[in-house]
Amino acid sequence: MNRFQGTIPDTFDKKCGLNNINFNGNELEGSIPPSLVHCRNMQVLDLGNNKIKDTFPRWLETLPEMQVLVLRSNKLHSFLPSPMVNHSFPELRILDLANNDLAGPLPKGYVDNMKGMWNLDEQGTSSYMGTRNFSYHYSVSLTIKGFEIKLEKILTIFSSIDLSNNMFVGEISSFVGQHNSLRGPNLSHNSFSGQIPESIGNLTQLEWLDLSSNKLNGQIPHKLADLTFLAFLNLSDNRLTGPTPQGRQFNTFENASYHGNIGLCGFPLSRGCNADG
């Protein structure tokens, strides 16, 4: 852990051959240097836990090899703009924008184009990201199942999205169900509204799901009970109603998973459901 201060120099030229930049946990200020767009081989960019004040650097979407983008806990602000190109972030598997001041609806084009989160388990034997010639593995710190965990090695089949603690609004549209290699989306502490998409039940590799502290309403889709790897669930502090799903992993979740939804009923809650739910 260092405490570097100042700004990141905007001096990355067209010969940039960097694969990995990790400035996490410093006190860097200013904006994200646009010249990073010249680093066409960039796979990991981690600028998390600094004091960077900027809008979302959408020009990063053109980097063809980008797989891990961590900008959490900075001072990013404003709306997320729509993509500039049709194939933005084609290889991105880990996106962490948590703890910023980003706002507005999620541009559907971004998440639709992130095909790096599709069918990862069907692409052959998994390995670790890094530089093989020097036996150097990339690492990243993420919030997993409610805890901050440092992954000393990043599996090439690991995929997650963390947009928590921002000001995003609108519905969590059904496109999220396409990213069937996701291990965990964290969309907590925003202002998302509407219903929980039933398509989340298609995310067969899901291990954690945190949608807490939003404005979600309606019933919890019973299809979520088919998620056999789901080990952490937090739907607390929303406006959900009706019976909780039963069976499999849902029989292991406690009251805290549903706290603050006065319209929910059924196990493990003390409020039972009547005949019509």
Side-chain angles (χ1 to χ4, degrees):
M1 185 70 69
N2 293 299
R3 286 290 183 269
F4 290 122
Q5 299 177 337
T7 62
I8 304 173
D10 191 18
T11 54
F12 298 92
D13 62 27
K14 293 183 178 180
K15 297 181 181 180
C16 175
L18 291 171
N19 299 105
N20 175 23
I21 292 181
N22 189 338
F23 292 155
N24 194 303
N26 286 284
E27 298 179 3
L28 298 172
E29 301 176 326
S31 59
I32 300 172
S35 61
L36 278 172
V37 76
H38 294 143
C39 301
R40 307 296 292 173
N41 297 322
M42 183 78 67
Q43 296 180 341
V44 178
L45 177 61
D46 188 347
L47 305 180
N49 297 288
N50 280 284
K51 299 178 180 179
I52 295 171
K53 188 174 184 179
D54 202 349
T55 57
F56 181 75
R58 66 173 180 171
W59 37 267
L60 288 176
E61 70 187 61
T62 62
L63 296 182
E65 304 296 328
M66 179 75 75
Q67 298 181 47
V68 178
L69 177 60
V70 178
L71 302 176
R72 69 177 294 122
S73 299
N74 279 288
K75 299 179 181 180
L76 300 184
H77 58 88
S78 191
F79 284 24
L80 282 186
S82 296
M84 297 186 298
V85 297
N86 291 331
H87 302 289
S88 57
F89 294 114
E91 298 296 327
L92 195 66
R93 299 183 292 105
I94 297 175
L95 175 63
D96 190 346
L97 304 179
N99 305 318
N100 282 289
D101 294 313
L102 296 167
L106 294 180
K108 189 173 184 294
Y110 268 132
V111 186
D112 273 352
N113 290 333
M114 293 179 186
K115 296 185 178 180
M117 300 182 185
W118 296 13
N119 305 317
L120 290 175
D121 293 315
E122 299 177 6
Q123 297 179 9
T125 304
S126 65
S127 58
Y128 292 108
M129 293 186 66
T131 306
R132 294 180 181 178
N133 293 342
F134 300 98
S135 299
Y136 174 78
H137 294 107
Y138 303 152
S139 63
V140 67
S141 293
L142 302 171
T143 299
I144 297 176
K145 302 178 184 179
F147 297 95
E148 185 169 343
I149 296 175
K150 182 175 183 179
L151 301 179
E152 298 291 348
K153 300 178 182 180
I154 307 174
L155 276 170
T156 55
I157 60 170
F158 184 88
S159 174
S160 70
I161 295 177
D162 193 340
L163 306 179
S164 62
N165 289 288
N166 280 286
M167 296 180 287
F168 291 119
V169 301
E171 296 187 355
I172 304 172
S173 59
S174 58
F175 63 76
V176 71
Q178 298 176 356
H179 299 79
N180 54 4
S181 295
L182 264 178
R183 300 300 174 96
N186 186 347
L187 308 182
S188 66
H189 294 87
N190 283 284
S191 293
F192 288 115
S193 57
Q195 298 187 349
I196 298 174
E198 186 173 348
S199 61
I200 290 181
N202 297 331
L203 306 178
T204 56
Q205 303 301 314
L206 211 65
E207 297 179 20
W208 68 93
L209 175 63
D210 193 342
L211 305 179
S212 62
S213 298
N214 280 288
K215 300 177 181 178
L216 300 172
N217 56 43
Q219 294 193 11
I220 303 171
H222 285 265
K223 190 174 181 181
L224 269 59
D226 295 332
L227 299 174
T228 55
F229 294 115
L230 189 63
F232 176 87
L233 176 72
N234 192 349
L235 304 178
S236 64
D237 298 313
N238 279 287
R239 302 168 183 176
L240 301 171
T241 58
T244 59
Q246 302 298 312
R248 297 185 179 180
Q249 297 300 103
F250 273 78
N251 289 346
T252 67
F253 301 136
E254 301 180 351
N255 285 8
S257 295
Y258 308 107
H259 175 79
N261 293 281
I262 60 174
L264 286 177
C265 61
F267 180 84
L269 303 173
S270 57
R271 186 184 305 109
C273 301
N274 57 27
D276 61 2

